[in-house]
């Protein structure tokens, strides 16, 4: 498996053929959607079609205890979580793929290239 956190991850993808095994897991972190798009385009160009890109956003939650009246007149304390109304954080894009066997060159192809 490999996890890339690079400014231009699409440039590293062709080199994965030399260091990973078929069916290896691939993941890449990109702070900008344009980086994720270029990464996906390069993976697709090389024959990868089992892809998923997710947006990860930081969103703060408020977690606190509160007390509420019950129907029988007693009170109970509960733990509740609610999102803060505004997202003041960072977004990022995570791209995942499984590299298929045909992503990798045959050993015979390497021998031919060396000849």
């Amino acid at each position: 498996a490999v996890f890339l956190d690079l400014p231009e991850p699409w440039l590293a993808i062709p080199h994965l053929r030399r260091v990973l095994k078929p069916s290896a897991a691939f993941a890449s972190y990109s702070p900008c959607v344009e980086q994720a798009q270029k990464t996906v385009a390069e993976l697709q160009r090389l024959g990868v079609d089992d892809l998923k890109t997710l947006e990860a956003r930081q969103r703060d939650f408020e977690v606190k205890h509160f007390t509420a009246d019950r129907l029988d007149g007693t009170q109970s304390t509960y733990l509740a979580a609610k999102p803060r109304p505004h997202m003041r954080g960072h977004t990022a894009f995570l791209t995942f793929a499984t590299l298929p066997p045909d992503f990798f060159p045959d050993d015979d192809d390497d021998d031919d290239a060396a000849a």
Side-chain angles (χ1 to χ4, degrees):
V2 65
F3 187 96
L4 300 179
D5 181 1
L6 300 169
E8 297 176 326
W10 57 92
L11 297 178
I13 292 170
H15 303 284
L16 300 179
R17 295 171 165 209
R18 289 184 273 156
V19 295
L20 294 176
K21 295 180 180 179
S23 299
F26 169 89
S28 177
Y29 168 88
S30 299
C32 301
V33 70
E34 294 82 5
Q35 291 169 300
Q37 289 171 327
K38 288 180 181 180
T39 300
V40 168
E42 181 64 8
L43 287 165
Q44 289 174 332
R45 186 184 75 77
L46 295 172
V48 178
D49 58 4
D50 182 14
L51 292 161
K52 179 184 278 191
T53 298
L54 306 171
E55 181 181 20
R57 299 187 305 165
Q58 177 185 335
R59 185 170 184 189
D60 293 333
F61 273 72
E62 182 179 353
V63 179
K64 65 180 183 178
H65 288 89
F66 72 97
T67 303
D69 294 330
R70 296 175 53 140
L71 293 175
D72 64 4
T74 62
Q75 291 187 325
S76 291
T77 301
Y78 300 94
L79 182 63
K82 68 176 185 174
R84 298 203 187 258
H86 302 288
M87 187 192 106
R88 293 188 182 112
H90 183 68
T91 186
F93 299 88
L94 299 168
T95 298
F96 301 96
T98 301
L99 305 178
D102 60 351
F103 176 82
F104 300 89
D106 294 332
D107 289 337
D108 294 340
D109 292 345
D110 291 339
D111 294 340
D112 294 341

